[in-house]
């Protein structure tokens, strides 16, 4: 983490030459003793959106409360990248009222609810337990490359709200970043043009945990289940750390699918965001506005009206 922090500092000094990829790490000290740390990492190469991992406790403080320390760590982490950041994201368990209170006090607003899944407890992830990936003529889970990245990018854009897409501010280059080595896309080859029906996108990670979101097309396709179990096992073997899968809470089909392949529901997590983006006003519409009197002037007759005939008897 220290080496990555040094690299992140170099990236911040040379933003035009080195895109932001590495995380920052801030440490809280009490009498020279570390008590908590927070990790901040960019969500895109332009470094306009940053993901803040909620501070982790290293030891119990003696003089200050833990809530005060966490709040100050979050404030300083956002202040560290304030010159280029336009928005921040933070995840925390939906049942942790303390973390939610700290995030809301700092201006974060809830954006999306997820179900977090952990691997089956009765399966050991090693090379001997991984089944070979099932291959189908018309369907295949593929690692991300320059040819299929556009398909996965469209899936990601369709799965997010317009507000969340504006906060993330991502493009194709963010998905094929060398750090994002765990992204996958499920390709259907039934037509002349390949079509993506599902995907796996790495959302955030720490030294001992990796979280990947399972996304799908707007229309449910039963073929998503093909090879998903073996693909998730391969990802777990590649990382050698704990892996969690996130799915939208309101997606009943994905919930049933993960239950069928043996993944265990762990907890609900909530995504909160804070943005500095401002809506641009269309000044030309305001400058071109006309008063109602001037609009009605064109309806006035160009000559005085003729007298109306009377129906009274002469």
């Amino acid at each position: 983490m220290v080496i990555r922090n040094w690299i992140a500092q170099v990236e911040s000094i040379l933003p035009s030459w080195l895109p932001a990829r590495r995380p920052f790490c801030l440490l809280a000290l009490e009498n020279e003793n570390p008590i908590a740390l927070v990790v901040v990492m960019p969500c895109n190469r332009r470094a306009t959106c940053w993901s803040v991992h909620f501070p982790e406790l290293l030891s119990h403080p003696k003089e200050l409360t833990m809530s005060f320390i966490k709040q100050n760590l979050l404030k300083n982490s956002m202040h560290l990248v304030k010159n280029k950041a336009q928005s921040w994201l933070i995840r925390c368990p939906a049942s942790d009222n303390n973390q939610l209170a700290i995030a809301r006090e700092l201006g974060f607003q809830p954006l999306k609810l997820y179900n977090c899944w952990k691997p089956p407890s009765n399966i050991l992830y090693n090379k001997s337990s991984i089944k070979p990936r099932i291959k189908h003529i018309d369907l295949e889970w593929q690692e991300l490359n320059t040819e299929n990245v556009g398909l996965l990018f469209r899936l990601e854009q369709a799965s997010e709200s317009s507000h969340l897409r504006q906060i993330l501010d991502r493009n194709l280059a963010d998905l094929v970043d060398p750090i994002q080595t765990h992204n996958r896309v499920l390709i259907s080859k039934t037509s002349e043009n390949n079509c993506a029906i599902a995907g796996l996108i790495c959302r955030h990670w720490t030294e001992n945990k990796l979280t990947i979101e399972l996304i799908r097309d707007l229309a449910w396709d039963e073929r998503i289940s093909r090879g998903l179990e073996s693909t998730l096992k391969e990802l777990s073997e590649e990382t050698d750390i704990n892996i969690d899968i996130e799915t939208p809470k309101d997606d009943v089909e994905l919930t049933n699918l993960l239950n069928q392949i043996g993944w265990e529901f762990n907890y609900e997590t909530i995504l909160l965001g804070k943005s500095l983006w401002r809506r641009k006003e269309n000044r030309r519409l305001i400058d071109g506005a006309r008063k109602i009197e001037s609009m009605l002037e064109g309806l006035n007759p160009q000559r005085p009206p003729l007298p109306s005939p009377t129906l009274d008897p002469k």
Side-chain angles (χ1 to χ4, degrees), residues 186-201:
L186 181 59
I187 301 296
S188 174
K189 302 178 180 179
T190 54
S191 60
E192 296 181 359
N193 298 324
N194 293 340
C195 176
I197 61 177
L200 295 167
I201 298 181

Side-chain angles (χ1 to χ4, degrees), residues 13-24:
I13 297 174
L14 303 172
S16 58
W17 296 91
L18 297 175
R21 296 178 180 176
R22 302 296 175 179
F24 285 97

Side-chain angles (χ1 to χ4, degrees), residues 157-169 279:
Q157 295 291 294
S159 64
E160 308 293 359
S161 64
S162 59
H163 182 48
L164 184 52
R165 289 198 301 267
Q166 183 187 32
I167 289 178
L168 287 170
D169 192 24
R279 185 185 298 275

Side-chain angles (χ1 to χ4, degrees), residues 8-16 84:
Q9 293 179 16
V10 175
E11 292 174 350
S12 63
I13 297 174
L14 303 172
S16 58
K84 47 188 174 182

Side-chain angles (χ1 to χ4, degrees), residues 84 87 104 131 139 144 157:
K84 47 188 174 182
S87 53
R104 294 300 297 269
K131 300 177 182 179
L139 204 66
L144 207 61
Q157 295 291 294

Side-chain angles (χ1 to χ4, degrees), residues 113-118 211-214 244-252 254-255 258 264-270:
L113 272 172
Y114 294 94
N115 287 335
C116 190
W117 305 81
K118 62 181 181 179
T211 301
I212 296 178
E213 182 180 356
L214 174 61
D244 286 342
I245 296 297
E246 282 185 350
T247 59
K249 179 177 174 57
D250 56 354
D251 197 323
V252 180
L254 288 182
T255 299
L258 288 175
E264 302 175 3
F265 173 77
N266 195 6
Y267 59 89
E268 290 183 9
T269 181
I270 184 171

Side-chain angles (χ1 to χ4, degrees), residues 136-155:
H136 302 270
I137 298 177
D138 62 334
L139 204 66
E140 182 184 5
W141 279 96
Q142 298 179 358
E143 296 182 0
L144 207 61
N145 53 50
T146 55
E147 296 180 359
N148 57 27
V149 62
L151 301 176
L152 183 61
F153 182 72
R154 284 193 287 270
L155 279 184

